[in-house]
Amino acid sequence: MPMLSVSNLEHTYPNGHKALKGISFDVEQGEFLVVIGLSGSGKSTLLRCLNRLIEPTSGTIRFEGADVTHIQGADLRKHRAQIGMIFQHFNLIPRHSVEQNVLYGTLGTAVTLAPLFGRFSESAKQQANDALRIVGIAEKKSVRADSLSGGQQQRVAIARALMQNPKLLLADEPVASLDPATSHSVMQYLERINKEMNTTVICNLHFLSLVRRYATRVIALRGGEIVFNGSPADITDEWFRHIYGEDAIEVEIR
């Protein structure tokens, strides 16, 4: 049984724009799946449907065999607790410390109200320190988040997501705001989490050089539909033009 199974998924926004049109694919445990495509192709909408930040219009999403397409209440909270989310713009609280920002990753799974008032257990603090060590910035735990570079802030966001002990990690354009050298640094940490912790990763990316380096499989979206599903090595120049358009030029990140 696949970890994730998406069947005929569609989403139409209130303005009538149909962002996803009959999307179907499976994700196996331990994959590093990258979703590519032009801006507006449906990549972000897809990830937000998977963790139910957006309600699918139709179709089915199954996670570990359970239908999670339209769950609500406690079932929805349980589903989201198993899925970490990393955003393009970090979503940190600037004036709070790095450690505090990471600890906020426990709020979705908290069983008491104490974390809502900034009171965290010693075991949670130890887990936060461990997560910061995984992403290589444990020494920054006491500094304000807004004193860090963009790449360091994204690593804090990754550490925050790890606080959920996620089975699935979703990353929506995690390096879009970063310079090329920092982009590889962040991607290497995601790769480490995938390989060493056996955490399944689904990541939206633009640059094919990063896709070829880190992905185990690629899905390409165009106009809300899947136009490619296969190995990164199979994305030829012809496929690149089919995905991005005849006038597109590949930009490489080294």
Side-chain angles (χ1 to χ4, degrees):
M1 178 187 301
M3 166 181 268
L4 179 72
S5 185
V6 177
S7 179
N8 295 314
L9 185 67
E10 300 198 351
H11 180 75
T12 303
Y13 284 98
N15 64 3
H17 173 62
K18 197 167 187 176
L20 299 176
K21 305 172 184 175
I23 299 292
S24 297
F25 65 94
D26 292 338
V27 181
E28 302 294 337
Q29 166 67 39
E31 280 199 89
F32 196 124
L33 175 67
V34 172
V35 184
I36 62 173
L38 291 167
S39 296
S41 62
K43 301 190 303 297
S44 293
T45 300
L46 174 60
L47 291 198
R48 283 162 171 76
C49 282
L50 296 183
N51 70 354
R52 290 294 317 287
L53 289 175
I54 291 177
E55 183 81 5
T57 303
S58 62
T60 305
I61 301 170
R62 290 187 175 276
F63 184 73
E64 296 191 320
D67 187 343
V68 297
T69 316
H70 299 294
I71 53 173
Q72 301 292 334
D75 289 336
L76 179 57
R77 289 192 293 274
K78 180 181 177 182
H79 174 62
R80 286 177 176 163
Q82 300 178 87
I83 301 177
M85 185 79 179
I86 301 166
F87 299 91
Q88 176 181 340
H89 297 296
F90 320 138
N91 291 349
L92 305 182
I93 300 178
R95 68 181 185 278
H96 289 191
S97 73
V98 165
E99 182 183 48
Q100 285 175 306
N101 272 280
V102 175
L103 284 165
Y104 295 146
T106 65
L107 294 180
T109 55
V111 295
T112 69
L113 294 178
L116 292 175
F117 298 99
R119 299 195 299 271
F120 298 93
S121 67
E122 289 304 312
S123 62
K125 291 178 180 179
Q126 182 59 55
Q127 185 184 356
N129 289 336
D130 291 343
L132 286 168
R133 275 195 290 272
I134 289 171
V135 297
I137 50 171
E139 75 282 0
K140 300 287 187 181
K141 72 174 186 177
S142 298
V143 307
R144 282 174 52 132
D146 58 4
S147 71
L148 302 180
S149 68
Q152 289 172 328
Q153 289 189 53
Q154 190 60 290
R155 285 151 66 182
V156 174
I158 294 172
R160 180 183 59 195
L162 291 179
M163 293 296 287
Q164 299 176 225
N165 294 313
K167 296 180 179 180
L168 174 63
L169 189 59
L170 306 177
D172 190 13
E173 302 285 1
V175 300
S177 302
L178 307 178
D179 59 69
T182 307
S183 296
H184 272 292
S185 174
V186 168
M187 291 301 300
Q188 284 166 4
Y189 285 112
L190 290 177
E191 181 182 48
R192 179 182 176 187
I193 291 164
N194 171 247
K195 290 185 175 180
E196 296 182 13
M197 302 174 68
N198 198 33
T199 302
T200 306
V201 176
I202 303 178
C203 180
N204 289 347
L205 288 175
H206 273 300
F207 298 104
L208 281 184
S209 53
L210 294 178
V211 174
R212 293 187 177 102
R213 166 64 180 80
Y214 298 102
T216 58
R217 184 163 60 96
V218 180
I219 286 175
L221 298 182
R222 183 168 183 175
E225 299 179 294
I226 292 180
V227 294
F228 178 89
N229 185 348
S231 167
D234 292 334
I235 302 179
T236 60
D237 290 342
E238 183 179 357
W239 269 114
F240 176 80
R241 290 191 297 272
H242 180 61
I243 295 165
Y244 289 99
E246 289 297 326
D247 297 327
I249 298 175
E250 183 174 347
V251 178
E252 193 166 344
I253 289 186
R254 297 184 180 276

